[in-house]
């Protein structure tokens, strides 16, 4: 099954005939539907596990109750009330979900700082190199760096555009080759550990 | 944002930030609400934008492809049963198989061929040479099946340096943009909520 | 007004008799052919002429549906034009009208009969890619079935996984695995990560270590559950498998990050494995992992996140190392052979780069030009 779908999708890339397009569109739609079914399934398993916690009065059940309340509220708002402007669904998203998400995202500022601090304890020459480049690029991007003359910004730009891009290309080429090899092995059934199987 | 909305968002923001001190009931509550809301949000969007138009409506229209789509959905949902759960391996096989087949030409093109095309530039200058050396050295770092000795060792070592420059560059580059996120949240707390700005 | 004028002009040209001053010799051999190896949306119109570029050819297409369209005005001496705006199996006729440098119509004629484009089964523009893919396949398959002893240079992060498992068992704490918010089962990186997970599940089952995998995607959850159950069965420890330890959290990126932060703080895993495709959540996860004192091993194809993992984790697998992991962990001779082939392909890449650059020095940009063209 994996092989059939794999080779069919690989071959259609080279088939300009409209039938190839039809096959491509159909399979893509199936994938979309399967992911969608998975998402609803995920929501159901999520609700089930919290229901079990609440009904068993297990540790933290009160939080599970909160989670269930939030889930039910959102589902009811979206499935009954609709998702257009002015609905409860969008109000909840804009005033609760989105700010919470943005705040978690903004935690990154603190984490970046602590990660940088960790990086300062450069353990070896590689880490030192990473740190120096990071500093140059940072300084090159802010006005203080520019005040020291064009050298720092120019160096920063060169580091980003030339050696960094070269290394990135090297990484990408490796990833490309690795991806093709894994995909081929999976299609041929040589590698089945993704479903726990062994040859 | 309405007043109630601003208060709700502000309390949530503070609750999430409290995690920086340590895990605590306020964070845990905010976390559970966020996760619960987001699951609900995604389910609603998925039902309305995929399952209804791609499965339910075609079936109502008598389109046989709608039934095929519904079969995939049901196979996926067999997971809730312990006895029929293995049937969900079929849709998984579609995802993995089709994904593998689609990604082979895509990966080869985007990750290998077009990168090569960018390295082999139509005119040669110092940057082109540095770029090519960087790519070759990085590739030799990823060479797995040969002991790193002699010239090969030098190449792989050079590759590590190029990698470190890349990591440093992304690190330095990203720090700045992350700081602006924090500024955004602080502006909300001090400005929209407390009206101090 | 203008569309009307154009339409009037078209009708005039179409209906006018051949008004050639020098009939036949001006433009001859007008023919329309299907463009081969395509999706059936192109026809090629060609003609023969001795006229120079001062003369222009106006080409008008008439479909069987009666619709007329102007392709444009072309220099007479190009002698061919491709019309890539037709539909497969439609039938078309073309009228060519020659204007001299002063814009005076000197000749007009239509193609003989009706032409129809055909859709083909092979895309010639992708022949090069097809050959490369076949070559890559041949190389990988050769390596896979060659079966010989292969040297592997050590990768620190991979040998550390087994050690870390032992540590988790000693401490009586779980192992936390995540394939990242960017992971999806149709991506090769995720497949590679799931291969590692399959291996990990069988090791964890044999050590009786608890393995947690909160996912952001239920399709991934389903695959991981199947993988863990199968691994436990093969290890002879079916009771080890706990479906509730591999569960769906949320598909929201920062909801997922917030939940994993909470899980780490409350369950205190001894080991965190971040293997897969990550976005901005990488640092939130890895820094919290640091805070709880977990041993952290990361590996990703997300180039931007590598730097953050490198700074915060004990070991980081870079890009292709994630794909090589299953060869290292399972020591499966076929997978190892594939890795050997990948290395030879890298040599192929290096030779191409060098050949391309030498070619550029010699003013021969065929390799680079072709690569940039696809």
């Amino acid at each position: 099954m994996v092989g059939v779908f794999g080779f069919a999708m690989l071959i259609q890339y080279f088939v300009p005939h409209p039938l190839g397009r039809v096959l491509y569109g159909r399979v893509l739609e199936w994938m979309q539907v399967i992911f969608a079914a998975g998402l609803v399934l995920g929501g159901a398993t999520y609700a089930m596990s919290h229901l079990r916690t609440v009904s068993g009065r297990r540790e933290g059940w009160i939080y599970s109750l909160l989670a269930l309340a939030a889930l039910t509220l959102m589902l009811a708002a979206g499935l009954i009330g609709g998702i257009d402007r002015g609905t409860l669904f969008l109000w909840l998203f804009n005033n609760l979900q989105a700010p919470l998400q943005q705040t978690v995202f903004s935690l990154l500022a603190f984490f970046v700082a602590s990660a940088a601090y960790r990086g300062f304890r450069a353990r070896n020459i590689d880490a030192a190199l990473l740190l120096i480049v990071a500093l140059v690029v940072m300084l090159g991007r802010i006005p203080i760096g520019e005040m020291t003359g064009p050298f720092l910004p120019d160096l920063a730009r060169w580091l980003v555009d030339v050696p960094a891009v070269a290394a990135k290309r090297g990484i990408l080429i490796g990833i490309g080759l690795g991806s093709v090899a894994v995909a081929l092995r999976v299609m041929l059934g040589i590698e089945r550990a993704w479903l726990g199987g062994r040859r | 944002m309405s007043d109630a909305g601003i208060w709700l968002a502000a309390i949530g923001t503070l609750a999430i930030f409290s995690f920086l001190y340590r895990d605590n009931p306020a964070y845990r509550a905010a976390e559970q609400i966020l996760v619960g809301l987001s699951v609900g949000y995604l389910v609603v969007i998925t039902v309305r934008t995929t399952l209804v138009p791609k499965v339910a409506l075609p079936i109502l229209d008598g389109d046989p492809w709608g039934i095929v789509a519904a079969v995939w959905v049901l196979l996926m949902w067999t997971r809730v049963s312990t006895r029929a759960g293995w049937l969900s391996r079929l849709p998984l096989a579609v995802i993995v198989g089709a994904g593998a087949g689609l990604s082979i030409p895509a990966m080869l093109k985007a990750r290998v061929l077009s990168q090569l095309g960018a390295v082999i530039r139509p005119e040669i200058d110092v940057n082109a040479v540095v770029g090519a050396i960087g790519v070759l050295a990085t590739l030799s770092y990823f060479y797995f099946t040969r002991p790193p000795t002699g010239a090969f060792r030098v190449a792989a070592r050079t590759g590590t340096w190029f990698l470190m420059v890349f990591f440093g560059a992304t690190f330095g580059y990203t720090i700045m943009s992350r700081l602006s996120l924090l500024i955004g949240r602080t502006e909300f707390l001090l400005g929209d909520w407390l009206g101090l700005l | 007004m203008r569309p009307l004028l154009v339409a009037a002009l078209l009708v005039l040209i179409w209906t006018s008799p051949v008004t050639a001053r020098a009939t036949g010799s001006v433009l001859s051999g007008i023919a329309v052919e299907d463009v081969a190896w395509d999706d059936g949306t192109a026809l090629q119109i060609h003609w023969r002429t001795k006229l120079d570029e001062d003369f222009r050819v106006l080409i008008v297409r008439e479909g069987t549906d009666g619709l007329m369209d102007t392709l444009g005005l072309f220099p007479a001496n190009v002698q061919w034009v491709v019309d890539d705006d037709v539909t497969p199996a439609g039938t078309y006729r073309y009228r060519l009208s020659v204007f001299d440098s002063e814009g005076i119509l000197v000749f007009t004629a239509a193609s003989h009969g009706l032409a129809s484009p055909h859709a083909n089964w092979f895309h010639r523009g992708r022949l090069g890619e097809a050959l490369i893919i076949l070559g890559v396949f041949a190389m990988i398959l050769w390596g896979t079935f060659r079966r010989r002893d292969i040297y592997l240079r050590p990768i620190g992060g991979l040998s550390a996984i087994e050690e870390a498992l032992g540590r988790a068992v000693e401490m009586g704490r779980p192992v936390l695995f995540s394939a990242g918010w960017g992971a999806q089962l149709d991506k090769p990186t995720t497949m590679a990560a799931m291969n590692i997970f399959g291996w990990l599940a069988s090791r964890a089952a044999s050590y009786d270590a608890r393995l947690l995998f909160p996912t952001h995607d239920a399709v991934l959850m389903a695959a991981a559950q199947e993988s863990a159950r199968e691994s436990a069965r093969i290890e002879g420890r079916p009771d080890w498998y706990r479906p509730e330890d591999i569960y769906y959290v949320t598909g929201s990126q920062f909801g997922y990050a917030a939940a994993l932060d909470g899980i780490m703080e409350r369950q205190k895993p001894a080991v965190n494995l971040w293997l897969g495709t990550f976005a901005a959540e990488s640092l939130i996860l890895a820094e919290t992992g640091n805070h709880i004192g977990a041993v952290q091993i990361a590996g990703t194809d997300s180039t931007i996140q590598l730097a953050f993992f490198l700074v915060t984790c004990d070991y980081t697998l870079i890009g292709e190392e994630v794909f090589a992991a299953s060869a290292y962990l399972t020591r499966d001779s076929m997978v190892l052979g594939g890795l050997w082939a990948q290395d030879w392909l890298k040599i192929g890449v290096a030779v191409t780069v060098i050949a391309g650059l030498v070619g550029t020095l010699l003013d021969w940009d065929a390799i680079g030009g072709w690569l940039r063209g696809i």
Side-chain angles (χ1 to χ4, degrees):
Chain A
M1 183 98 158
V2 172
V4 169
F5 274 90
F7 282 104
M9 292 316 267
L10 173 61
I11 291 166
Q12 68 75 30
Y13 178 75
F14 298 100
V15 176
H17 197 278
L19 264 179
R21 298 254 182 90
V22 170
L23 171 80
Y24 174 77
R26 191 61 70 194
V27 173
L28 229 54
E29 194 173 297
W30 287 347
M31 289 170 79
Q32 216 181 340
V33 165
I34 293 169
F35 276 118
L39 205 135
V40 174
L41 172 76
T45 58
Y46 172 83
M48 289 302 291
S49 89
H50 280 297
L51 273 174
R52 274 195 298 270
T53 310
V54 172
S55 66
R57 291 280 190 281
R58 282 186 239 158
E59 190 276 326
W61 66 272
I62 193 93
Y63 299 103
S64 288
L65 201 62
L66 265 180
L68 282 173
L71 173 71
T72 319
L73 189 62
M74 205 63 163
L75 281 179
L79 293 179
I80 300 166
I83 58 173
D84 301 324
R85 273 178 74 120
T87 54
L88 175 64
F89 180 77
L90 266 197
W91 189 88
L92 283 171
F93 179 80
N94 288 331
N95 290 297
L96 207 50
Q97 188 184 335
L100 286 175
Q101 286 179 170
Q102 282 158 19
T103 311
V104 177
F105 194 13
S106 73
L107 287 178
L108 267 179
F110 296 100
F111 288 144
V112 133
S114 61
Y117 170 73
R118 217 179 297 285
F120 271 111
R121 303 167 309 164
R123 282 161 293 195
N124 52 37
I125 183 161
D126 289 354
L129 184 61
L130 187 153
L131 193 75
I132 293 167
V133 174
L135 280 175
V136 169
V137 170
M138 256 176 72
L139 290 177
R141 284 193 75 197
I142 55 176
I144 304 169
E146 276 170 17
M147 276 188 268
T148 59
F151 174 71
L152 214 51
D154 284 352
L155 177 64
R157 212 167 298 126
W158 184 82
L159 284 171
V160 171
D161 288 346
V162 181
V165 164
K168 185 179 174 179
R169 291 197 206 287
I171 299 176
L172 288 179
I173 291 172
I175 291 173
L177 295 176
S179 298
V180 172
V182 166
L184 180 63
R185 279 199 291 270
V186 165
M187 269 158 58
L188 293 175
I190 294 171
E191 208 150 31
R192 290 204 189 127
W194 62 273
L195 264 188
R198 295 239 185 105
R199 267 188 314 107
Chain B
M1 256 196 239
S2 61
D3 277 355
I6 288 177
W7 272 89
L8 216 52
I11 293 169
T13 302
L14 291 175
I16 295 280
F17 274 148
S18 73
F19 180 76
L20 289 167
Y21 171 60
R22 56 187 285 184
D23 186 32
N24 65 75
Y27 173 77
R28 199 166 170 183
E31 171 210 322
Q32 296 294 342
I33 291 171
L34 167 57
V35 174
L37 287 176
S38 66
V39 172
Y41 177 83
L42 289 169
V43 169
V44 168
I45 296 289
T46 308
V47 168
R48 282 181 174 269
T49 60
T50 308
L51 291 182
V52 168
K54 298 232 152 99
V55 185
L57 291 183
I59 290 180
L60 292 179
D61 288 347
D63 178 358
W65 287 112
I67 296 172
V68 180
V71 170
W72 291 125
V73 172
L74 293 177
L75 285 174
M76 198 62 215
W77 285 351
T78 58
R79 286 214 71 77
V80 292
S81 141
T82 33
R83 276 184 54 216
W86 62 274
L87 283 170
S88 65
R89 285 173 166 238
L90 293 171
L92 294 183
V94 173
I95 298 280
V96 170
L102 286 171
S103 60
I104 287 177
M107 283 286 170
L108 213 59
K109 201 165 151 178
R111 298 281 144 87
V112 182
L113 300 180
S114 58
Q115 299 302 326
L116 277 176
V119 178
I120 306 171
R121 300 218 216 138
E123 67 283 328
I124 292 196
D125 53 12
V126 180
N127 288 347
V129 174
V130 173
I133 291 174
V135 169
L136 297 184
T138 311
L139 280 178
S140 51
Y141 169 83
F142 288 115
Y143 207 96
F144 301 110
T145 59
R146 195 180 181 286
T149 49
F152 195 69
R153 192 184 133 82
V154 177
R157 195 78 194 105
T158 316
T160 339
W161 290 340
F162 271 95
L163 285 171
M164 290 304 144
V165 171
F166 169 62
F167 296 143
T170 48
F171 199 85
Y173 215 79
T174 320
I175 285 181
M176 306 305 288
S177 59
R178 297 298 183 248
L179 286 178
S180 62
L181 293 171
L182 180 63
I183 295 168
R185 275 336 275 166
T186 319
E187 268 175 4
F188 165 73
L189 284 180
L190 298 181
D192 293 8
W193 184 42
L194 299 175
L196 295 177
L197 291 180
Chain C
M1 256 328 256
R2 270 191 63 188
L4 267 181
L5 274 178
V6 172
L9 179 71
L10 290 183
V11 171
L12 185 76
I13 292 170
W14 199 265
T15 50
S16 67
V18 179
T19 54
R21 276 181 252 157
T23 1
S25 58
V26 172
L27 215 65
S28 61
I30 299 173
V32 183
E33 278 173 10
D34 176 36
V35 173
W37 312 106
D38 74 341
D39 55 353
T41 56
L43 286 170
Q44 190 181 41
I45 305 114
H46 39 127
W47 62 88
R48 280 195 299 276
T49 185
K50 291 195 174 108
L51 298 175
D52 60 18
E53 63 201 6
D54 286 345
F55 289 84
R56 306 250 147 190
V57 181
L58 177 79
I59 304 181
V60 178
R61 174 208 319 131
E62 188 192 21
T64 33
D65 48 8
L67 278 178
M68 276 198 256
D69 267 308
T70 314
L71 297 194
L73 213 49
F74 305 91
N77 60 355
V78 298
Q79 309 215 23
W80 63 273
V81 161
V82 171
D83 177 9
D84 56 3
D85 197 22
V86 291
T87 46
T91 46
Y92 302 91
R93 189 207 301 273
Y94 292 85
R95 176 162 287 261
L96 281 66
S97 309
V98 181
F99 292 86
D100 67 12
S101 54
E102 277 140 29
I104 297 168
L105 179 70
V106 294
F107 174 83
T108 176
S111 59
H112 288 292
L114 294 168
S116 176
H118 293 286
N120 302 100
W121 294 100
F122 188 77
H123 198 308
R124 191 168 50 182
R126 290 180 177 169
L127 179 65
E129 285 170 78
L131 291 177
I132 289 176
I133 287 182
L134 285 178
V136 168
F137 276 14
M139 191 70 212
I140 293 174
L141 291 178
W142 183 39
T144 303
F145 294 104
R146 205 178 60 121
R147 293 176 184 275
R148 242 195 261 160
D149 279 346
I150 288 165
Y151 166 87
L152 278 184
R153 84 164 159 82
I155 296 182
L158 291 171
S159 37
I161 293 186
E162 184 117 29
E163 244 169 75
L165 268 177
R167 184 181 125 105
V169 176
E170 265 171 39
M171 296 170 77
R173 291 210 208 145
V175 174
L176 180 68
F177 181 95
S178 171
W181 178 73
Q184 262 192 323
L185 203 56
D186 59 340
K187 292 186 191 166
T189 316
T190 307
M191 297 174 202
M194 292 309 291
N195 282 332
I196 303 176
F197 178 79
W199 174 87
L200 191 71
S202 57
R203 303 310 289 157
S206 73
Y207 286 133
D208 199 21
R210 191 162 173 222
L211 180 57
L212 301 175
F213 181 7
T215 73
H216 74 288
D217 172 42
V219 173
L220 201 59
M221 169 193 83
Q225 285 178 342
E226 289 294 310
S227 173
R229 180 168 57 194
E230 194 65 16
S231 300
R233 191 184 62 75
I234 293 171
E235 287 297 319
R237 305 287 308 270
D239 52 315
W240 171 85
Y241 168 63
R242 277 183 293 256
E244 65 271 22
D245 281 351
I246 300 165
Y247 55 103
Y248 174 79
V249 181
T250 174
S252 142
Q253 181 180 13
F254 295 108
Y256 183 65
L260 257 68
D261 273 2
I263 292 165
M264 279 188 265
E265 283 290 345
R266 280 154 230 152
Q267 315 230 20
K268 301 264 188 266
V271 184
N272 291 338
L273 296 166
W274 312 118
L275 297 165
T277 304
F278 291 79
E281 76 280 5
S282 70
L283 192 59
I284 302 180
L285 302 177
E287 269 300 296
T288 307
N290 245 319
H291 183 244
I292 61 162
V295 170
Q296 300 201 91
I297 301 166
T300 180
D301 64 334
S302 330
T303 48
I304 296 177
Q305 308 306 327
L306 277 166
F308 296 111
F309 277 144
L310 213 72
V311 175
T312 47
C313 293
D314 301 274
Y315 300 94
T316 304
L317 304 179
I318 302 168
E320 197 185 354
E321 291 177 337
V322 178
F323 297 91
S326 77
Y328 274 78
L329 297 171
T330 59
R331 298 270 159 183
D332 180 303
S333 66
M334 290 172 92
V335 183
L336 277 171
L339 200 59
W340 173 86
Q342 260 164 265
D343 278 354
W344 274 101
L345 289 171
K346 267 169 250 166
I347 293 184
V349 166
V351 169
T352 312
V353 169
I354 294 167
L357 288 179
V358 170
T360 309
L361 277 179
L362 302 173
D363 264 346
W364 180 75
D365 188 34
I367 298 178
W370 182 77
L371 286 166
R372 282 188 298 273
I374 53 171

